[in-house]
Amino acid sequence: MQPETDRYLTLDAMRGFAVMGILAMNIVAFSMPEWAYVTPRAYGGLSADNQASWIFSFIFIDGKMRGLFSLMFGASMMLIIERAQAKGESAAKVHYARMFWLALFGLAHYFFLWFGDILFLYASVGCIAFLFRNWEPPRLIKWALILFGLGILFWGLQLGGLQVLQYFATQPDADPDMLKQYNEILRSNDFDLNVEDEIALHRGAYWPIVTEKLSEWYTPLAAVLQSIAETLPLMMIGMAMKKNGFITGEWDAAAYTQWAKRLVPAGLTASAALAAYLVFVDYDLISSLAVFLAWSAIPRLMLTVGYAALLILFITRTAHRKFIARVAATGQAAFTNYLGTSILMTTLFYGYGFGLFGSVSRVGLWPIVFAVWVLMLLWSQPWLAQYRYGPLEWLWRSLARGQVQAMTR
């Protein structure tokens, strides 16, 4: 058992890559109306550059970095449980204290900073994942895949049914009642792009933005129900990967290479095919939502695990390089970097800051992403050379432990 002061380079560096990659997708939700994340038709139009940027992100990034983050969360949770048990502490007490405070951080993040919070989701799902801590890796993976499949079935039946309705309702000889039902669905709040209202809100003052979220106080709970069938399986797979040594770099290079070859080309091909399908149907809202929530789930899972294998190969082969040390430090301070980007991005795009919401193209967002990546890499390592934890990691740990933790090295 590793001492608590020791770090797993693969865990930290993968977490660093994940938190950097998450920004590449989240910045769209920071800077544009919510539906812009799902389809380029919602905002920015169907110009070549807008479509190309959306397609690139959809194929290579969307959901995969969040997936890696979920794997890391499950693996780190397992590591903390094992260390608590090794020291004779109550693993349940340590874990649930951490999840309680993480949930509060998440709610504060959601209501007072940004609607795209994942911390409350992770805390809620983490409470469930703890129940499977004693399962062996094969059992964890088997049930993770079963739960994942049930999630696809749930969304597939709903959204696939909508796609079938859309097909028949748009035929020249469509049944009038079916056409009426179809049009009512398109006019419902679920498919209201609400672009102008969102722009006006986010270019305005701080308190109306908060008030809007407070009026829909149940949204974080709804997000848990919507995402649990993907997030819980990924955490369980992360737990299994910690137990069997995959995520800590203990496998042979040939095994990681084999998994990468199995999953990455097939996952990218399937994602590209789905992107081509959406181009073919002009990104209509029902098809876009169906692909986003249901049909892209399997290639997203394949690429999440495939990327993990590729990253472990890369990290272990370049472990001596300064760049990897900086990425690992970014991952060690991932909590601070994640919330820090929310502060930076809302200040940049919201009206109480620089008010750039809806003003920057998808392509124009990339220089901002690169700049924030550089900032993460520059501050994290020097800080951790002097201090044990990132600022928010220290606060979270102190609150969860019920006493102020030693900060300086």
Side-chain angles (χ1 to χ4, degrees):
M1 182 67 64
Q2 278 196 333
E4 191 170 358
T5 53
D6 289 351
R7 309 289 309 188
Y8 284 106
L9 178 65
T10 51
L11 269 176
D12 285 337
M14 287 178 68
R15 196 183 298 112
F17 281 120
V19 77
M20 292 167 66
I22 282 173
L23 175 62
M25 288 308 303
N26 281 355
I27 196 168
V28 174
F30 279 121
S31 64
M32 296 180 179
E34 187 174 1
W35 266 92
Y37 192 102
V38 179
T39 169
R41 177 174 286 281
Y43 200 72
L46 298 184
S47 62
D49 63 328
N50 194 53
Q51 286 192 73
S53 183
W54 185 89
I55 289 170
F56 173 83
S57 296
F58 172 78
I59 293 174
F60 293 97
I61 306 172
D62 181 29
K64 292 81 174 178
M65 299 301 107
R66 186 179 66 250
L68 283 175
F69 216 57
S70 301
L71 291 181
M72 296 305 103
F73 192 91
S76 298
M77 183 183 75
M78 200 65 245
L79 179 62
I80 290 168
I81 290 170
E82 290 172 353
R83 286 176 172 169
Q85 291 171 338
K87 294 192 296 185
E89 298 176 336
S90 167
K93 182 178 179 181
V94 170
H95 176 74
Y96 284 111
R98 285 170 54 82
M99 295 304 100
F100 172 78
W101 286 106
L102 185 64
L104 292 186
F105 275 116
L107 291 175
H109 181 219
Y110 171 80
F111 286 113
F112 301 111
L113 268 179
W114 184 52
F115 74 90
D117 172 72
I118 61 170
L119 301 178
F120 182 79
L121 167 67
Y122 278 19
S124 301
V125 177
C127 289
I128 300 171
F130 179 82
L131 302 176
F132 313 128
R133 65 193 181 280
N134 294 324
W135 287 13
E136 292 301 312
R139 189 182 183 192
L140 281 166
I141 293 171
K142 181 184 77 172
W143 280 99
L145 294 177
I146 290 172
L147 292 172
F148 195 84
L150 290 174
I152 295 173
L153 180 63
F154 173 80
W155 288 114
L157 288 174
Q158 293 186 74
L159 294 164
L162 276 181
Q163 287 184 290
V164 171
L165 172 65
Q166 180 183 46
Y167 173 78
F168 286 108
T170 53
Q171 297 303 304
D173 58 346
D175 178 78
D177 290 336
M178 185 176 290
L179 180 60
K180 179 182 178 182
Q181 181 185 4
Y182 172 65
N183 287 327
E184 286 175 353
I185 290 171
L186 287 184
R187 289 193 296 266
S188 69
N189 289 334
D190 290 336
F191 291 94
D192 182 5
L193 298 185
N194 204 25
V195 169
E196 297 304 323
D197 289 344
E198 279 198 56
I199 292 174
L201 176 67
H202 291 100
R203 286 182 181 174
Y206 174 74
W207 189 245
I209 297 174
V210 175
T211 302
E212 175 78 9
K213 288 183 285 189
L214 289 172
S215 69
E216 299 179 348
W217 56 268
Y218 51 83
T219 300
L221 296 172
V224 173
L225 295 177
Q226 177 179 311
S227 302
I228 189 171
E230 181 173 53
T231 304
L232 179 57
L234 286 167
M235 285 188 186
M236 293 169 70
I237 293 172
M239 294 165 70
M241 287 178 167
K242 168 61 184 71
K243 285 172 173 279
N244 65 20
F246 179 98
I247 218 161
T248 50
E250 298 172 36
W251 289 22
D252 292 336
Y256 293 113
T257 301
Q258 185 179 42
W259 277 107
K261 287 180 177 179
R262 285 175 180 171
L263 298 175
V264 174
L268 291 176
T269 300
S271 296
L274 288 170
Y277 163 70
L278 289 178
V279 172
F280 177 74
V281 298
D282 288 330
Y283 305 97
D284 78 77
L285 297 185
I286 288 177
S287 296
S288 295
L289 194 62
V291 167
F292 179 71
L293 289 175
W295 312 135
S296 63
I298 290 177
R300 192 162 59 235
L301 176 62
M302 294 170 68
L303 285 170
T304 296
V305 177
Y307 282 0
L310 282 177
L311 283 172
I312 290 170
L313 280 172
F314 177 72
I315 293 163
T316 53
R317 290 174 180 175
T318 59
H320 60 285
R321 295 186 180 177
K322 293 180 180 179
F323 172 72
I324 290 298
R326 287 192 175 274
V327 174
T330 300
Q332 193 175 340
F335 188 38
T336 300
N337 279 311
Y338 173 73
L339 289 178
T341 56
S342 291
I343 295 170
L344 283 175
M345 294 298 99
T346 52
T347 301
L348 182 64
F349 291 109
Y350 286 10
Y352 54 82
F354 292 90
L356 296 180
F357 191 89
S359 301
V360 184
S361 69
R362 290 180 195 271
V363 175
L365 292 175
W366 282 103
I368 300 173
V369 171
F370 294 143
V372 177
W373 285 354
V374 170
L375 180 61
M376 289 182 185
L377 294 171
L378 286 177
W379 87 267
S380 300
Q381 189 180 45
W383 176 277
L384 291 171
Q386 298 185 56
Y387 302 102
R388 295 174 182 269
Y389 316 104
L392 291 180
E393 282 78 8
W394 170 82
L395 178 59
W396 181 19
R397 186 181 179 88
S398 296
L399 290 169
R401 293 280 180 173
Q403 60 182 15
V404 176
Q405 301 291 293
M407 183 63 159
T408 56
R409 290 192 179 276

